[in-house]
Amino acid sequence: MANVVRAALVQATWTGDTESMVAKHEEHAREAARRGAKIIGFQEVFNAPYFCQVQEPEHYRWAEPVPDGPTVRRMQELARETGMVVVVPVFEVEQSGFYYNTAAVIDADGSFLGKYRKHHIPQVKGFWEKYYFKPGNIGWPVFDTAVGKVGVYICYDRHFPEGWRQLGLNGAQLVYNPSATHRGLSAHLWQLEQPAAAVANEYFVAAINRVGVEEYGDNDFYGTSYFVDPRGKFVGEVASDKDEELVVRDLDFDLVEEVRQQWAFYRDRRPDAYDGLVQP
Ligand SMILES: NC(=O)NCCC(=O)O
């Protein structure tokens, strides 16, 4: 019998405040659960605007501890209520001066499974993230969730094949990639990079981008979120480039094993010949 996981993602416009932003994500999650989804993921720093368009100390106010902050605690309640695994990207403060771009992973019973911290931090025009975030320092966790093995890689991370590979080596069947990226910068890459990563690493990817113009910049986030399978094929339609959208798709996790047996990239890779890759 096929091992099909009904999975969801949300690309959302910024509402102007955290309370209404979180509340509308809760509504999307409830709708996804009604449609039979068993896992859902949200966009990068989903409960805040994309404040990295500017460099201002006032924006440290969006940070909270993970898992003991209000948003992750609330998402644990949501997971319990809906019976879904929830991937929750937030701005994390560990202690004063230690801030990370993080995603918490919560299991379908509401338990906190752990977190991923974005490793590769951009300082590209309009993405002034080095001002806010320390680079991730807790490795490449893959979480054993109620639906299967789930990893997270966050936005600018996606340009670096090494992390995608490490998540595959750690057993990921599905990697959520919460993002915030502008049309002028990356719309072309967006259609290439995650499908290529899904093929090279033989797993599903959920690619989530914010959508709309926000208050801290005049660039538009172009949405076009999607699921892509281990053969690099989009699962259903790509989402709108203008509007908020809940995307729900059936992912046949058996395809991961099928593709791994057919192509066997993990057999054929040559770590013995890659020393140069890990030289500083
Ligand atoms: N959020 C983020 O890392 N954006 C950087 C720009 C990009 O990688 O498309």
Side-chain angles (χ1 to χ4, degrees):
M1 211 174 90
N3 178 17
V4 175
V5 173
R6 188 160 292 177
L9 63 81
V10 178
Q11 63 173 41
T13 53
W14 169 237
T15 56
D17 67 272
T18 294
E19 173 51 38
S20 59
M21 192 67 171
V22 173
K24 83 168 168 178
H25 280 78
E26 289 171 329
E27 283 315 304
H28 282 305
R30 291 184 183 112
E31 172 59 18
R34 278 193 288 275
R35 290 164 59 181
K38 300 294 180 208
I39 180 168
I40 191 164
F42 303 143
Q43 64 203 18
E44 187 173 13
V45 201
F46 89 100
N47 59 345
Y50 186 70
F51 50 82
C52 311
Q53 295 187 95
V54 295
Q55 301 180 83
E56 299 292 347
E58 68 184 78
H59 292 302
Y60 287 104
R61 74 179 189 277
W62 304 107
E64 59 181 81
V66 176
D68 295 323
T71 304
V72 174
R73 288 292 181 225
R74 194 163 156 180
M75 293 298 106
Q76 288 184 269
E77 282 302 314
L78 182 70
R80 253 189 296 277
E81 175 195 324
T82 58
M84 284 193 298
V85 177
V86 187
V87 177
V88 185
V90 292
F91 183 14
E92 178 189 5
V93 56
E94 188 179 38
Q95 63 184 77
S96 183
F98 290 73
Y99 293 86
Y100 302 94
N101 188 327
T102 296
V105 177
I106 298 167
D107 212 355
D109 63 0
S111 56
F112 172 73
L113 290 174
K115 60 190 168 189
Y116 169 74
R117 287 175 174 161
K118 183 176 185 173
H119 278 86
H120 307 95
I121 307 297
Q123 193 74 352
V124 177
K125 187 174 177 205
F127 300 91
W128 306 116
E129 295 198 10
K130 287 198 203 298
Y131 181 82
Y132 297 102
F133 310 126
K134 279 170 77 75
N137 53 5
I138 52 174
W140 313 96
V142 167
F143 302 100
D144 203 0
T145 75
V147 299
K149 307 257 190 205
V150 175
V152 184
Y153 210 34
I154 301 180
C155 196
Y156 187 72
D157 274 337
R158 75 185 188 282
H159 310 299
F160 299 84
E162 296 86 351
W164 289 116
R165 174 64 98 213
Q166 191 65 66
L167 290 165
L169 289 169
N170 291 352
Q173 295 169 296
L174 167 61
V175 175
Y176 270 84
N177 178 222
S179 298
T181 186
H182 294 160
R183 196 181 301 271
L185 180 69
S186 63
H188 176 61
L189 300 182
W190 185 257
Q191 303 292 329
L192 301 176
E193 290 176 308
Q194 294 94 325
V199 170
N201 300 290
E202 305 174 315
Y203 48 53
F204 287 89
V205 175
I208 313 172
N209 190 16
R210 302 176 81 102
V211 69
V213 177
E214 298 188 2
E215 64 199 88
Y216 297 110
D218 55 8
N219 292 302
D220 72 326
F221 298 98
Y222 55 84
T224 60
S225 303
Y226 56 80
F227 286 97
V228 61
D229 77 15
R231 295 194 189 285
K233 295 182 179 160
F234 294 120
V235 184
E237 299 286 305
V238 169
S240 165
D241 67 344
K242 290 188 183 59
D243 299 322
E244 182 158 315
E245 205 166 316
L246 165 68
V247 176
V248 180
R249 299 283 185 261
D250 284 339
L251 313 181
D252 180 0
F253 274 26
D254 284 347
L255 192 59
V256 173
E257 204 48 41
E258 190 183 311
V259 170
R260 286 183 186 184
Q261 288 174 5
Q262 181 186 13
W263 279 103
F265 295 152
Y266 291 93
R267 179 197 62 198
D268 295 337
R269 62 189 288 273
R270 292 290 309 278
D272 58 304
Y274 300 155
D275 281 359
L277 286 181
V278 291
Q279 300 310 311

